[in-house]
Amino acid sequence: MTKTALIAASRSDVSRALTEWLVINDIDIQTVGSGNDAIATMTHGRPDLVVAQLSMDDMSGLRLAHYLKAHEGFSRVPVILLCSDEREMALVRGQWPAFVFGDSLNPALISELKRELVN
């Protein structure tokens, strides 16, 4: 059975890098540019994983993660947060898997994606 990942990111380079890796690994992808769009998209089907950029215009990835955790229909969907720097990582405080996203996917993030979607 093919798995589905929902990418919520306002930065196109983040979406592009994740999409390239997910396509190679035969994962279905939904991409949105905001937290509110992620919630709207999820009402039409629950993904196997949500990858959210921490800093987005309308709703932070952290707020989206809290919303999903509190919503009974989405509470079991794993969330990975992408941070732009260590300051953002400190905001997450280990509540969810979080990774600093630079110019490319780092090995720790790839390992987490594999754990959630491929294995």
Side-chain angles (χ1 to χ4, degrees):
M1 178 160 87
T2 303
K3 297 210 175 177
T4 302
L6 174 62
I7 301 168
S10 57
R11 286 178 40 192
S12 62
D13 60 328
V14 171
S15 294
R16 189 171 31 258
L18 287 166
T19 298
E20 289 173 7
W21 187 88
L22 293 166
V23 165
I24 289 170
N25 288 280
D26 199 29
I27 307 298
D28 288 340
I29 306 157
Q30 298 172 307
T31 304
V32 296
S34 72
N36 286 330
D37 289 345
I39 292 168
T41 298
M42 290 179 70
T43 63
H44 301 295
R46 189 175 73 96
D48 295 295
L49 174 70
V50 173
V51 181
Q53 182 182 330
L54 193 69
S55 297
M56 292 185 285
D57 292 336
D58 66 343
M59 177 188 295
S60 74
L62 188 56
R63 187 168 170 210
L64 173 62
H66 282 291
Y67 173 86
L68 297 178
K69 182 81 167 175
H71 190 283
E72 184 160 332
F74 304 131
S75 63
R76 299 192 66 137
V77 175
V79 176
I80 296 174
L81 298 173
L82 302 178
C83 303
S84 62
D85 54 33
E86 292 299 325
R87 182 191 60 79
E88 286 188 357
M89 286 286 289
L91 294 173
V92 177
R93 285 182 243 127
Q95 297 173 65
W96 281 271
F99 302 89
V100 173
F101 185 90
D103 296 330
S104 61
L105 301 179
N106 67 49
L109 173 56
I110 290 172
S111 178
E112 186 69 14
L113 291 169
K114 284 181 180 178
R115 188 178 75 75
E116 292 293 349
L117 293 170
V118 177
N119 299 329

